[in-house]
Amino acid sequence: MAKLYFRYGTVSSAKTLALLACAHTYEVQGNKVVVIKPDFDIRFGKTTVASRAGLSREADILVKADTVLPAACFDDCQCVLVDEAQFMSAFIIDQLREVASTRGVPVICYGLRNDFRSELFEGSKRLFELADSIEEVKTTCAF
């Protein structure tokens, strides 16, 4: 059975860089990867997933809180990668759990744990409830 992973870290802890490196590794091996990001994240372009290090790629699926993930998108897929997972709704996270459980495809979510008030984001909260593996992406303090 494939797992649902949550890899969280602070701003500038290279979460998206790790996602892009993971996608690259799968694709170099000839495997299909599906990259998902929130529809409203337009910082680097509507469909672009980009790291501050300068690497980028296009997302395959843009989601809103009520998006129903199309099953056909996961055909022949070896890995699902989710950027900015904290902004996903519980509804989306539940669907990602299903992809891992029923299709046998690992789903790796990257995002923040909590906001500036130390309150969990909806997507992060649901990932803490459902993820099979939870890992903190470590970084150094600039101060």
Side-chain angles (χ1 to χ4, degrees), residues 1-4 93-101 130-132:
M1 177 205 278
K3 293 183 178 181
L4 173 63
I93 301 300
D94 289 345
Q95 291 179 78
L96 295 171
R97 168 81 258 166
E98 280 299 306
V99 169
S101 297
L130 295 179
D132 299 300

Side-chain angles (χ1 to χ4, degrees), residues 72-87:
C73 288
F74 305 109
D75 291 345
D76 302 320
C77 176
Q78 279 72 47
C79 185
V80 176
L81 300 169
V82 182
D83 194 37
E84 303 292 351
Q86 73 273 10
F87 296 130

Side-chain angles (χ1 to χ4, degrees), residues 42-59:
I42 58 171
R43 294 172 298 157
F44 302 104
K46 181 80 172 162
T47 61
T48 305
V49 174
S51 78
R52 290 180 177 88
L55 299 176
S56 65
R57 68 167 292 139
E58 295 303 303

